[in-house]
Amino acid sequence: MSLPATKSDVVVAGPFKPRSAAIVPLAAQPRRFDPRGLAIKVAQSVLPPLVVIAILLGLWQAAFSGPDSSLPPPSEVWAQSRDLIVEPFFVHGSQDIGLGWRVLVSLERVAYGFGLAAIVGVLIGALIGQSVWAMRGLDPIFQVLRTVPPLAWLPLSLAAFLDSRPSAIFVIFITSIWPVIINTAVGIRNIPQDYRNVALVLRLNHVEYFFKIMVPAAAPYIFSGLKIGVGLSWLAIVAAEMLTGGVGIGFFIWDAWNSSRLTDIIVALVYIGLVGFMLDKLVSFLGALVTRGTSSN
Amino acid sequence: MTAYLKLDHIGKTFTRGSASTEVLRDIRLTIDKGEYVSIIGHSGCGKSTLLNLVAGLTEVSQGAVLLENQEVNAPGPDRAVVFQNHSLLPWLTVYENVNLAVSKVFSGRKTRAERHDWIMENLTLVQMAHARDKRPSEISGGMKQRVGIARALAMEPKILLLDEPFGALDALTRAHLQDQMMEIHARLGNTIIMITHDVDEAVLLSDRIVMMTNGPTATIGEVLDVPLERPRNRIALASDRTYLRCREAVLKFLYERHRFVEAAE
Ligand SMILES: Nc1ncnc2c1ncn2[C@@H]1O[C@H](COP(=O)(O)OP(=O)(O)OP(=O)(O)O)[C@@H](O)[C@H]1O
Ligand SMILES: [Mg+2]
């Protein structure tokens, strides 16, 4: 293979006879679409979990098939709750709706609570990160508050808001805001002096500095905080809804327990797990998108 | 005629708690418009500190920095800095990095189209227009440094401050960028202060070489005039008498009179 060589105008003076240096650019490897390779890749990532799930279902079926077992086996879950599994978006009445709808209702609350936590958390984190003393004073407090379980906030929240809907949202907010604040503050602290100097030389004002330097520079940290936060808010919504009622997925579990529909609970657990997984992936994806340049450097 | 830039008895003492170190003492220097001045000295003597004082990024402890008879004590785009490690913002493309400076400095003075032309003109000046949409992580060290220079030039500074701009580069790239820097200086007539470790670089590029004594409490030991005609050609100068004499003077200063002493404190 012959490569094009560009002559550079730099002359090397060496111990041997001078020669003009040639810079040889590497030819980019042409990317071809390879269906077989792609199929193998998909199989490698999809097959193992499928096999494991099949084995676990088999074990489960074997362990709980007896007449006096306390929990239903998979076959019974399928028999009794098939409508919930195959049809997420049915509507049979105001209280009898598919789990997809319930998840959406819960997600809406999460969107409010977590969205608020993200905005407020980044702003507070940015303020704290700029001052050593604020960091020293507030960090221990945040570290303590961070460990308070979501449900422990609920009574106070109900007392303050006197209504279940804002209470649930507040619980999500207060549960998920701490990692956002802490991570943002750490990210701001870690902005290299070089970037600050660039901002100083250009005389960026506070708003410009916030949007053009601080947020992008701290974005990897902010997104790791958001990722922890979104997981916590999904934990919180289910717990909060169990107590506050409504049509969310959390209340559905509580309701199913009260009417002894164990198979419905099992289906709901799978929904919750899958949605939580997708939320996590979504935030990771957004993070990867936003921090393309920053983290690879 | 009064000097363009005047460093008037500058001193700098860093204090942390009760400990204080006097890094620079009694720096006196005047620089004319269009002059290319190099600062050379051993590592840790306070060259970067001196540049930061002129840039306004560090506050002077004694004395004053006067630019066109005005005291400057805060950073600003009239004293653009090319930092030791390029300091491009990694999340912006080459174009956006220059645009950050241009849109801030020329907001209200240039239209959008004029700003675009100005950005491209500066990128072309350092031969980086072809990489305008690349991110810093996708280009080489020499290219990053060129973009850093383009960003600084695009601010149309009164003084261009270069902190070891070619220090981290291989010899070939460095020579290439030195030639480009000379061309830019010839074309635009900027006033430039450049820190360097490299004796050849200092002699080749400068009108005057400021030699710093060793720290702690460094000051200006000697200022050498480089009376070489411009444009300068590195091959032709390699055997030039004046060039060799200047080179020798700097080498003698650095390695005989002010040898680097480890752990002076
Ligand atoms: N913020 C600071 N606080 C305390 N001391 C400092 C500070 N900045 C620099 N110094 C000290 O000042 C001295 C000079 O540092 P400076 O970075 O200016 O050296 P330099 O000549 O640029 O070195 P190099 O050639 O290695 O870049 C060093 O001894 C350093 O420890
Ligand atoms: Mg330095």
Side-chain angles (χ1 to χ4, degrees), chain B residues 65-128:
Chain B
V65 178
L66 300 163
L67 180 60
E68 291 183 311
N69 284 324
Q70 298 267 311
E71 180 167 359
V72 286
N73 39 26
D78 55 344
R79 281 150 293 132
V81 192
V82 176
F83 294 96
Q84 211 159 347
N85 44 354
H86 72 80
S87 71
L88 298 177
L89 304 175
W91 55 88
L92 299 180
T93 63
V94 163
Y95 181 90
E96 290 164 342
N97 262 289
V98 182
N99 184 32
L100 180 73
V102 170
S103 58
K104 178 66 189 173
V105 175
F106 295 100
S107 70
R109 278 199 280 152
K110 279 190 198 308
T111 65
R112 180 179 275 271
E114 282 170 344
R115 291 205 297 260
H116 169 80
D117 292 345
W118 179 238
I119 295 167
M120 291 316 291
E121 188 180 329
N122 281 284
L123 284 176
T124 310
L125 198 63
V126 296
Q127 298 174 12
M128 284 300 295

Side-chain angles (χ1 to χ4, degrees), chain A residues 9-12 21 194-198 200-205 208 211-214 216-218 290 292-294 296-297, chain B residues 57 74-81 83 85 87-91 100-101 103-105 135-137 151 155 172 175-176 235:
Chain A
D9 46 357
V10 182
V11 171
V12 207
D194 282 334
Y195 301 171
R196 293 173 203 273
N197 285 344
V198 170
L200 285 170
V201 169
L202 288 176
R203 295 213 182 113
L204 297 186
N205 60 38
E208 288 167 330
F211 283 111
K212 293 189 171 164
I213 309 280
M214 257 197 324
V290 171
R292 252 170 323 173
T294 326
S296 68
N297 204 275
Chain B
L57 292 167
D78 55 344
R79 281 150 293 132
V81 192
F83 294 96
N85 44 354
S87 71
L88 298 177
L89 304 175
W91 55 88
L100 180 73
S103 58
K104 178 66 189 173
V105 175
R135 281 170 200 278
S137 55
R151 179 174 64 182
M155 298 179 208
L172 284 177
H176 186 58
I235 318 279

Side-chain angles (χ1 to χ4, degrees), chain A residues 183-228:
Chain A
N183 278 275
T184 305
V186 171
I188 301 285
R189 285 234 71 77
N190 282 328
I191 295 178
Q193 187 61 41
D194 282 334
Y195 301 171
R196 293 173 203 273
N197 285 344
V198 170
L200 285 170
V201 169
L202 288 176
R203 295 213 182 113
L204 297 186
N205 60 38
H206 286 293
V207 178
E208 288 167 330
Y209 182 64
F210 180 77
F211 283 111
K212 293 189 171 164
I213 309 280
M214 257 197 324
V215 171
Y221 290 87
I222 294 176
F223 271 96
S224 65
L226 290 178
K227 203 175 146 177
I228 302 170

Side-chain angles (χ1 to χ4, degrees), chain A residues 53-111:
Chain A
I53 288 171
I55 291 172
L56 286 179
L57 284 177
L59 287 177
W60 178 9
Q61 181 72 36
F64 292 99
S65 286
D68 48 24
S69 69
S70 55
L71 293 175
S75 59
E76 205 182 318
V77 173
W78 178 253
Q80 292 189 13
S81 306
R82 190 171 50 202
D83 56 338
L84 291 179
I85 300 171
V86 296
E87 207 185 337
F89 292 100
F90 68 79
V91 181
H92 296 328
S94 70
Q95 274 303 317
D96 191 9
I97 56 175
L99 286 184
W101 292 116
R102 293 183 186 274
V103 163
L104 284 180
V105 169
S106 299
L107 279 177
E108 190 196 342
R109 287 187 186 149
V110 167

